[in-house]
Amino acid sequence: MDHDMGMAAPPPSTMVMMKRRHFMHMTFFWGTKSEVLFDQWPGDSRGMYALALLFVFVMSFLVEWLSHTRFMKPGSNKLSAGLCQTVLHLLRVGLAYLVMLALMSFNAGVFLMAVLGHALGFFFFGSRAFAKPHNDKRYDDLPPMSC
């Protein structure tokens, strides 16, 4: 009979997880040692951290581009226009969720790049600074992102 009182050794996979100390920040912090979107990325490399910041910037910039760009011509086929709008919506929401997940790293640099990407994207595509005149009042193919 086994009388170890239920104190069996943990399985080997649990022991491997115990050796690796994984800490997730729950408040904003400055630093290049962070995980953004993927396990152990960007890691300890400053170059990879800069690439991660650029990646977040580009994703947030693309969200604004997709939100404010006209892809379809007026009078196009309703079915093809609806499918195009659906694909554009899928891309915009997917990118927006990836930006949100990147922000959950609580890295201040990632936060600043996301805000800067959205701000510059809006400046170039959503503001009146570079707006092209249109005959109709509807400028975009997609409705605004709902909060």
Side-chain angles (χ1 to χ4, degrees):
M1 251 188 180
D2 188 13
H3 297 286
D4 62 357
M5 306 282 281
M7 301 297 287
S13 62
T14 307
M15 292 178 71
V16 171
M17 293 300 287
M18 286 179 177
K19 288 180 184 177
R20 182 176 161 217
R21 300 195 65 144
H22 186 72
F23 179 73
M24 185 173 159
H25 289 274
M26 297 308 284
T27 59
F28 278 108
F29 72 99
W30 289 99
T32 59
K33 293 181 181 179
S34 178
E35 285 188 357
V36 180
L37 293 178
F38 305 108
D39 188 33
Q40 298 181 357
W41 187 73
D44 294 338
S45 168
R46 288 179 186 238
M48 291 302 287
Y49 178 71
L51 181 65
L53 294 180
L54 180 66
F55 187 65
V56 170
F57 174 84
V58 168
M59 284 192 307
S60 59
F61 190 83
L62 287 175
V63 168
E64 293 298 325
W65 177 66
L66 288 169
S67 297
H68 298 288
T69 302
R70 173 165 266 185
F71 292 97
M72 295 169 285
K73 296 178 183 174
S76 59
N77 181 359
K78 287 184 179 184
L79 180 61
S80 63
L83 289 173
C84 183
Q85 280 181 313
T86 302
V87 169
L88 291 173
H89 180 71
L90 174 102
L91 290 172
R92 181 177 69 171
V93 169
L95 285 171
Y97 277 128
L98 282 173
V99 171
M100 180 207 54
L101 287 171
L103 290 173
M104 290 176 67
S105 69
F106 287 100
N107 184 287
V110 171
F111 174 75
L112 290 176
M113 287 295 110
V115 171
L116 186 64
H118 278 291
L120 285 177
F122 179 80
F123 177 70
F124 286 117
F125 305 113
S127 72
R128 295 181 183 182
F130 300 103
K132 296 177 186 175
H134 291 285
N135 294 335
D136 59 348
K137 295 186 189 240
R138 188 161 177 265
Y139 294 102
D140 309 319
D141 289 330
L142 295 174
M145 296 277 292
S146 57
C147 296

